[in-house]
Amino acid sequence: METKRRQELYEVSGRLAKVALGREKADLVVQNGTLVNVYSGELLEHTDIAVAGGRVAFVGKAGHTIGPDTKLVDAEGRFLVPGLIDGHMHVESTMMTVTEFAKAALAKGTTAVFMDPHEIANVFGNEGVAWMHEEGQGVPLKVFTTYPSCVPAAEGLEDAGASLEVEDIEAGLRWEGVAGLGEVMNFPGVVYDDPKMKGEIEATIRAGKTVTGHFPSDDQQMLQAYIASGVTSDHETVTREQGLARVRLGMNLMIREGSAWQDVKEVIKVVTEDHAPTGNITLVTDDVYPQTLVDKGHINHVVRRAVEEGVDPVTAIQMATINTARYFNMERDLGAISPGKCADILLVDDLQQMVPSLVIADGAVVARQGRIVIPFPSYVYPEKARQSVQLARKLRPEDFRLRSKRTTAGAGAGAGGTSVVGTTRVKVIQVIENSARTASATAELTVKDGYIQPDPQQDVLLLACIERHKGSGDISLAFAKGFGLKEGAVASTVAHDSHNLLVMGTNEADMVFAASKLAECGGGMIAVKDGKVLGLVEMPVAGLMSDKPLDQVVEEVRGLEAGWKELGCTIHAPFMTFSLIALPVIPDLRISNRGLVDVTTFRLTDVEL
């Protein structure tokens, strides 16, 4: 896309100059607005914007650019805001295809995103990345790709559907529209000179592109080694102190506010209390659910949250426009309303609320009052993309029984064949509400007939991770707490990052039913009780994305949320938290298809103590 936009600028630059001089007339003129100037930090009233060939030709009093065929838009004093840019996000987390996401994002004022499709990469590898990248090139939203760097995220600890090597990254970096390397999650590999990580980073630097990061650690020596290795940003910053440390070292601080991970309140203190310069700070979403897109917005919601926490509105807008463009070396085209740049313009009534009443992308009106007003191209994924759930065999109740190493099956059993033979102490994955991190907890659980039992009264649920890509038959079992389920089971093929089939419940019958139902429909998320579906979001595209329109996906997700609540769950965004319980690159304790993972040591560990 960079090459394409360079060519566009070369072709139209002569005309832009003529329009600026009044020698030719503009295609579009937006009149009488208040310009949000992200360069000077000013609000400039009574400003016009003349557009030609999809780019800005003139900013100021533009009457001399108006001809008989010029389209006019009266801003009526509304704020003229540059199109917003999300510097780090995963389209798959929206549960929609790129096309459907683009409709939702544009309507909220996002005109460019830098997506990291590492979710589909873990299922279909380079082929899956190519599908999403290709789809992104055809929509009115500017979709740039950061090529996935860590597939699988933790080699040796999990099994994904595919793997990407240095040569894949080198090839992908040559695709038009690939802006850099996706979040480098294997920070120990970077720091300790893993050949694959080193090769990927070096290839990206040679290509003159950006290496984006992921560093959930407070270790200052490792952080500086990580930066010195070529990684230049971090979106896993969750405290003010971490944020300040990154700013001081020249790292691009990406402050995240998604559906579940809400870091603005704490990390923005770097700006509001430490008064750090904001030129190297950007706002991102990372992971956003469909309901958030509809009810709150996209990157405009992150800007709103920064303003709510005390950031000046113009400064907040800078962090979601020009700062992001500069970070990805795309300031010539994006990030501001100035001559030569893409005419991505929002008309906003109130900078505190950041709700655009009109969205212009590349000089064309694409949305009014939150509704898309232009046709969108269609994109059809190949049939292979819908065949991603491959189980070795039909699941059985015994697949969800974890034998204790301290007892033998049937020991002490009475006439009915079932009895309590004792207890055992186990490690438990403790989830943390609104956080991507987990804690390592313990629990004393009952053992019946040699098998360790979940205990909903202690909020300890049985957890299973089933390999679903190659039909290997691998199933690992562990325990989790923090969700509050009192009955039933839940399951998901969205299980970051290897996206195996994740199941959690209070009883084996519902766990079998939930997992089997997802296998039948090609993947998704489900909540069940007593053999009945309470909520289901079908995601047949790679087991990650729905093929339905936004409004239908939103309704299905609301039904799923209600299902979780009926089972007793009380935490916010539970299925997002659940989907990350299998991510063995963020501390402390996780599950993979190979077993329980101690992320602090990057090793598999026993469930029983």
Side-chain angles (χ1 to χ4, degrees):
M1 193 177 291
E2 302 95 322
T3 304
K4 176 183 176 183
R5 297 208 176 276
R6 286 285 84 72
Q7 187 61 37
E8 287 175 354
L9 182 56
Y10 297 150
E11 292 174 356
V12 78
S13 58
R15 186 183 172 211
L16 293 175
K18 291 175 183 177
V19 171
L21 294 170
R23 292 165 56 192
E24 289 190 14
K25 302 307 177 183
D27 301 328
L28 170 74
V29 173
V30 181
Q31 298 176 297
N32 190 31
T34 299
L35 178 69
V36 177
N37 191 308
V38 294
Y39 290 124
S40 66
E42 298 172 287
L43 297 175
L44 304 176
E45 297 180 345
H46 311 298
T47 300
D48 304 337
I49 304 168
V51 176
R55 290 182 178 256
V56 176
F58 186 85
V59 180
K61 293 296 184 180
H64 65 292
T65 70
I66 299 173
D69 297 323
T70 302
K71 296 179 181 179
L72 301 178
V73 172
D74 187 355
E76 300 177 310
R78 286 174 288 181
F79 294 98
L80 306 175
V81 178
L84 303 178
I85 307 171
D86 192 342
H88 175 72
M89 57 86 59
H90 305 283
V91 170
E92 302 99 317
S93 293
T94 70
M95 307 183 194
M96 295 180 291
T97 61
V98 178
T99 300
E100 288 301 315
F101 162 72
K103 295 175 184 177
L106 276 169
K108 299 298 184 179
T110 303
T111 56
V113 299
F114 292 83
M115 72 167 182
D116 181 352
H118 73 212
E119 319 301 355
I120 200 169
N122 275 277
V123 181
F124 286 114
N126 182 70
E127 192 174 18
V129 176
W131 294 334
M132 290 187 68
H133 180 74
E134 180 182 52
E135 184 182 12
Q137 304 313 291
V139 298
L141 178 73
K142 295 176 184 66
V143 179
F144 300 97
T145 297
T146 55
Y147 200 91
S149 63
C150 297
V151 178
E155 291 190 74
L157 296 177
E158 60 182 345
D159 295 290
S163 63
L164 295 177
E165 305 302 328
V166 175
E167 52 267 29
D168 296 309
I169 279 76
E170 289 176 328
L173 288 167
R174 292 192 289 270
W175 297 353
E176 188 170 289
V178 171
L181 190 63
E183 56 176 305
V184 182
M185 294 180 289
N186 186 3
F187 62 91
V190 174
V191 169
Y192 296 116
D193 218 20
D194 175 80
K196 179 179 176 181
M197 291 294 95
K198 180 179 179 181
E200 291 180 5
I201 292 171
E202 289 179 351
T204 308
I205 293 172
R206 283 196 303 271
K209 299 188 177 183
T210 303
V211 181
T212 65
H214 168 116
F215 191 83
S217 171
D218 291 314
D219 190 310
Q220 289 301 299
Q221 292 183 3
M222 289 188 74
L223 174 61
Q224 297 202 33
Y226 189 64
I227 297 170
S229 298
V231 185
T232 57
S233 68
D234 178 46
H235 64 271
E236 287 292 336
T237 305
V238 297
T239 68
R240 169 186 176 182
E241 292 75 20
Q242 289 175 341
L244 195 58
R246 284 147 180 74
V247 169
R248 285 170 173 164
L249 294 171
M251 199 178 207
N252 185 281
L253 173 62
M254 293 182 170
I255 303 180
R256 171 179 59 186
E257 187 86 359
S259 294
W261 330 130
Q262 300 170 354
D263 300 324
V264 166
K265 185 176 182 64
E266 175 61 26
V267 183
I268 206 67
K269 292 175 182 176
V270 169
V271 177
T272 58
E273 297 184 18
D274 295 311
H275 307 294
T278 58
N280 212 23
I281 300 175
T282 55
L283 302 177
V284 303
T285 63
D286 197 7
D287 298 299
V288 175
Y289 273 172
Q291 300 109 305
T292 302
L293 285 171
V294 171
D295 298 339
K296 296 181 179 179
H298 188 233
I299 199 70
N300 65 319
H301 171 57
V302 191
V303 173
R304 184 187 310 122
R305 283 291 301 115
V307 173
E308 288 172 351
E309 294 299 328
V311 178
D312 174 77
V314 175
T315 301
I317 290 168
Q318 288 170 327
M319 292 191 287
T321 55
I322 192 63
N323 291 7
T324 311
R326 284 173 173 161
Y327 175 64
F328 285 100
N329 300 312
M330 292 188 183
E331 184 185 359
R332 182 178 295 182
D333 297 307
L334 307 175
I337 299 172
S338 68
K341 288 184 172 51
C342 296
D344 298 338
I345 304 162
L346 314 181
L347 272 61
V348 176
D349 295 328
D350 182 354
L351 294 185
Q352 303 285 330
Q353 296 301 315
M354 277 303 295
V355 178
S357 55
L358 191 77
V359 179
I360 296 170
D362 289 324
V365 175
V366 297
R368 285 192 180 93
Q369 301 299 334
R371 294 186 178 276
I372 295 295
V373 295
I374 60 170
F376 262 66
S378 60
Y379 184 87
V380 179
Y381 281 82
E383 186 59 29
K384 179 180 180 180
R386 299 171 178 274
Q387 300 172 350
S388 67
V389 182
Q390 302 291 332
L391 302 185
R393 54 171 171 76
K394 187 176 180 179
L395 295 169
R396 303 184 295 249
E398 51 264 37
D399 292 325
F400 301 101
R401 296 171 186 165
L402 180 57
R403 184 181 295 278
S404 172
K405 296 179 180 179
R406 294 183 174 82
T407 61
T408 59
T418 300
S419 67
V420 176
V421 299
T423 62
T424 187
R425 196 150 195 86
V426 299
K427 298 173 185 174
V428 179
I429 302 171
Q430 171 76 61
V431 298
I432 303 170
E433 187 172 14
N434 293 331
S435 174
R437 302 189 180 200
T438 66
S440 180
T442 62
E444 191 81 18
L445 296 180
T446 297
V447 178
K448 289 184 179 181
D449 291 339
Y451 297 103
I452 308 173
Q453 304 297 305
D455 188 351
Q457 295 303 312
Q458 293 188 62
D459 188 24
V460 177
L461 306 171
L462 184 62
L463 182 66
C465 187
I466 306 166
E467 195 281 325
R468 62 118 166 164
H469 303 294
K470 296 180 172 63
S472 69
D474 287 348
I475 301 176
S476 68
L477 300 174
F479 294 95
K481 69 178 302 182
F483 291 100
L485 269 63
K486 302 300 182 186
E487 51 191 340
V490 294
S492 175
T493 53
V494 179
H496 301 275
D497 273 337
S498 287
H499 298 292
N500 285 301
L501 176 49
L502 199 60
V503 194
M504 179 175 69
T506 62
N507 66 87
E508 60 195 36
D510 278 335
M511 292 178 73
V512 170
F513 178 72
S516 300
K517 187 66 176 178
L518 285 190
E520 289 174 14
C521 64
M525 296 181 176
I526 193 170
V528 308
K529 182 175 74 171
D530 298 330
K532 295 181 180 180
V533 175
L534 301 181
L536 170 63
V537 183
E538 295 186 7
M539 301 182 194
V541 181
L544 301 172
M545 295 176 284
S546 172
D547 55 0
K548 298 176 183 176
L550 172 64
D551 57 348
Q552 292 184 40
V553 178
V554 168
E555 285 306 307
E556 289 184 1
V557 173
R558 285 177 176 153
L560 178 65
E561 191 170 47
W564 274 76
K565 289 181 179 178
E566 185 174 337
L567 297 179
C569 183
T570 57
I571 69 170
H572 174 253
F575 21 94
M576 179 72 82
T577 303
F578 181 52
S579 72
L580 284 185
I581 208 168
L583 181 58
V585 293
I586 300 180
D588 286 337
L589 204 58
R590 306 281 166 163
I591 191 174
S592 81
N593 65 295
R594 296 194 182 188
L596 190 63
V597 181
D598 183 339
V599 185
T600 63
T601 62
F602 275 88
R603 293 178 181 175
L604 295 173
T605 184
D606 290 334
V607 174
E608 281 188 286
L609 291 168

